[in-house]
Amino acid sequence: MKKSMFIFAALLLIGCDNSNPSSDSTPWTFEPGSSENALWTIVANEGLFNSNNGTLSMIDEFGEVYETELLGDVVHSIEVYNNKLIVAINGSEKLMIFDISEAGLSNRIELDLLGTPPREINVVNEKVYVSCYGDSDYNVYGTVPGFVKVVSLEDLSIEASIEVGIQPEG
């Protein structure tokens, strides 16, 4: 058992690459090189609390890793819907919405959630449903009700703010 764990760990270390081959690309568009890329794996990198250093990593189908510039304080969750990437940035109390293409991410839009830190995202019929804590102080002891914000992907307006229980998730 120990021998197989050692082999697995060795393969994992050999297979990982932390390079950024797109250092000369624009901040929100990633050029995958000479080959067309049809598949992205996108990873939310939360960053350190109160450090404003959350990012996204994107892995193309060729195994190349690209990282965005800093997005904000605590990149909490992401959701892909059609050719859109929706990012909940908890500490910065905002959503970011990007277009996704073969070249990567473009057309960054920020939506302020008005003092309610977002947690989880679900998209149904062009509407983004995002659970949000009820205040900016993160309500550690859980006494303030939270909300589900409903955002239209058509015009990026907050259509509703539905009060729910304390510290909603999912």
Side-chain angles (χ1 to χ4, degrees), residues 139-157:
N139 195 17
V140 175
Y141 300 107
T143 59
V144 177
F147 299 89
V148 171
K149 301 280 185 172
V150 182
V151 177
S152 166
L153 279 176
E154 186 176 312
D155 64 5
L156 300 177
S157 65

Side-chain angles (χ1 to χ4, degrees), residues 17-96:
D17 179 9
N18 196 24
S19 65
N20 185 354
S22 64
S23 60
D24 60 346
S25 64
T26 60
W28 304 108
T29 302
F30 302 93
E31 298 297 335
S34 59
S35 302
E36 290 247 345
N37 181 56
L39 179 68
W40 288 105
T41 299
I42 303 171
V43 179
N45 303 309
E46 192 171 81
L48 297 173
F49 185 69
N50 281 333
S51 296
N52 240 7
N53 63 351
T55 62
L56 298 172
S57 290
M58 298 177 60
I59 306 164
D60 69 16
E61 65 184 302
F62 309 107
E64 298 290 335
V65 179
Y66 306 84
E67 189 167 341
T68 65
E69 290 183 349
L70 303 179
L71 300 179
D73 190 15
V74 186
V75 175
H76 191 272
S77 60
I78 58 176
E79 182 72 23
V80 174
Y81 181 76
N82 294 332
N83 290 325
K84 299 278 186 204
L85 173 67
I86 301 120
V87 182
I89 305 176
N90 182 269
S92 298
E93 300 172 354
K94 64 184 174 183
L95 291 180
M96 282 189 178

